[in-house]
């Protein structure tokens, strides 16, 4: 019963956040079309820029998402792992690799707040700067996804990645580097579909849920030699 209540609470939380994000995107789009565009169109120079106001709204999507989904992604991806059994499979794979009993690692205060904030901020900055390319019609969204996808993917799985023993920026960075292309392409498609107007918030929730399966797919297979070597060089240090 408590699990059912928890799931219902998560679904309600998700629905409210998606509705809020969609409402904000609709209002921003309406403001740009009904207010900004006519003002620009009234001038000779502005008339040239007026058609691009739609893409300005697209560039603002990451800011809307960061506000509406604040504090949502981390518990949701962990809940998805628990609901699908991925958490147990990840721990079994980790146990088979280390030869010991694998336990879910809870991050300490420093890693939970400071380093987590650093990764999320870094991902936001990368998305923000590369998102400026969204003002370029058609190719801008693809360019944004190509630049920022890997960082978005890392941000999505930061907490469960720490849960299976990759605690700290150095150790996680080594693992992300070793599996870079998996992170790159998962993040590329995740960012790209979130650029779809209006339904982007729904796609964001889908991406966070899919991140649980992505993590399981990458880490239930044996880590390649590069990952093991790099993590070994770090000597279990955390940053």
């Amino acid at each position: 019963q408590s699990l059912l209540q928890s799931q219902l609470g998560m679904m309600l939380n998700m629905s409210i956040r998606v509705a809020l994000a969609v409402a904000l995107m609709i209002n921003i789009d309406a403001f740009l079309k009904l207010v900004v565009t006519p003002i620009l169109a009234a001038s000779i120079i502005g008339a040239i820029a007026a058609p691009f106001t739609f893409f300005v709204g697209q560039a603002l999507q990451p800011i809307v998402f960061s506000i509406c989904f604040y504090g949502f992604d981390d518990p949701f991806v962990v809940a998805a792992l628990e609901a699908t059994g991925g958490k147990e499979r990840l721990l079994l794979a980790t146990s088979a690799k280390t030869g010991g009993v694998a336990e879910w690692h809870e991050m300490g205060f420093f890693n939970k707040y400071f380093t987590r904030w650093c990764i999320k901020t870094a991902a936001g900055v990368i998305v923000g700067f590369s998102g400026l390319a969204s003002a370029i019609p058609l190719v801008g969204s693809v360019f944004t996804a190509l630049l920022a996808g890997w960082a978005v993917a890392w941000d999505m799985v930061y907490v469960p990645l720490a849960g299976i023993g990759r605690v700290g920026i150095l150790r996680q960075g080594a693992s992300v580097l070793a599996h870079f292309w998996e992170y790159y392409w998962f993040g590329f498609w995740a960012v790209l579909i979130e650029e779809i107007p209006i339904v982007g918030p729904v796609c964001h929730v889908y991406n966070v849920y899919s991140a649980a399966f992505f993590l399981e797919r990458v880490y239930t297979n044996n880590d390649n030699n590069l990952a093991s070597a790099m993590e070994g060089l770090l000597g279990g240090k955390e940053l």
Side-chain angles (χ1 to χ4, degrees):
Q1 184 177 0
S2 61
L3 178 60
L4 178 61
Q5 291 176 344
S6 175
Q7 291 176 342
L8 289 174
M10 183 69 73
M11 292 297 293
L12 179 61
N13 183 15
M14 177 192 70
S15 300
I16 292 173
R17 290 171 183 267
V18 168
L20 179 59
V22 170
L24 281 174
M25 291 307 302
I26 291 174
N27 280 278
I28 290 173
D29 184 62
F31 176 76
L32 290 171
K33 287 181 178 178
L34 301 177
V35 179
V36 177
T37 300
I39 293 174
L40 289 175
S43 64
I44 297 176
I45 298 177
I48 300 174
F52 294 93
T53 54
F54 167 79
F55 299 100
V56 173
Q58 291 296 101
L60 293 175
Q61 275 197 176
I63 299 176
V64 173
F65 288 179
S66 66
I67 295 172
C68 295
F69 292 102
Y70 178 79
F72 171 80
D73 294 1
D74 292 343
F76 189 69
V77 70
V78 173
L81 281 169
E82 293 174 345
T84 59
K87 182 176 179 179
E88 288 76 12
R89 289 188 289 272
L90 280 166
L91 289 176
L92 285 173
T94 303
S95 178
K97 177 186 175 183
T98 60
V101 178
E103 297 182 350
W104 191 259
H105 291 258
E106 298 293 340
M107 291 185 293
F109 181 87
F110 181 79
N111 281 298
K112 186 176 182 179
Y113 293 101
F114 181 74
T115 59
R116 180 69 188 102
W117 179 83
C118 289
I119 291 295
K120 185 164 286 292
T121 300
V125 169
I126 293 172
V127 171
F129 278 104
S130 59
L132 295 175
S134 296
I136 305 173
L138 302 178
V139 299
S141 296
V142 176
F143 187 71
T144 300
L146 287 171
L147 288 179
W150 67 273
V152 170
W154 184 4
D155 179 54
M156 285 184 183
V157 301
Y158 180 87
V159 171
L161 195 56
I164 59 174
R166 278 78 172 179
V167 183
I169 293 178
L170 288 178
R171 184 176 290 179
Q172 288 207 7
S175 190
V176 171
L177 181 60
H179 299 285
F180 181 77
W181 291 113
E182 289 100 323
Y183 278 83
Y184 184 85
W185 287 115
F186 173 78
F188 169 79
W189 291 111
V191 173
L192 194 62
I193 65 172
E194 286 188 20
E195 294 287 333
I196 301 174
I198 308 304
V199 299
V202 178
C203 294
H204 177 78
V205 174
Y206 169 78
N207 285 335
V208 178
Y209 182 75
S210 299
F213 296 94
F214 161 75
L215 191 76
E216 182 182 350
R217 175 170 55 82
V218 173
Y219 291 97
T220 51
N221 296 323
N222 290 327
D223 282 345
N224 58 35
N225 293 332
L226 176 59
S228 299
M230 293 184 73
E231 291 181 11
L233 286 173
L234 293 173
K237 295 179 180 179
E238 299 178 9
L239 177 62

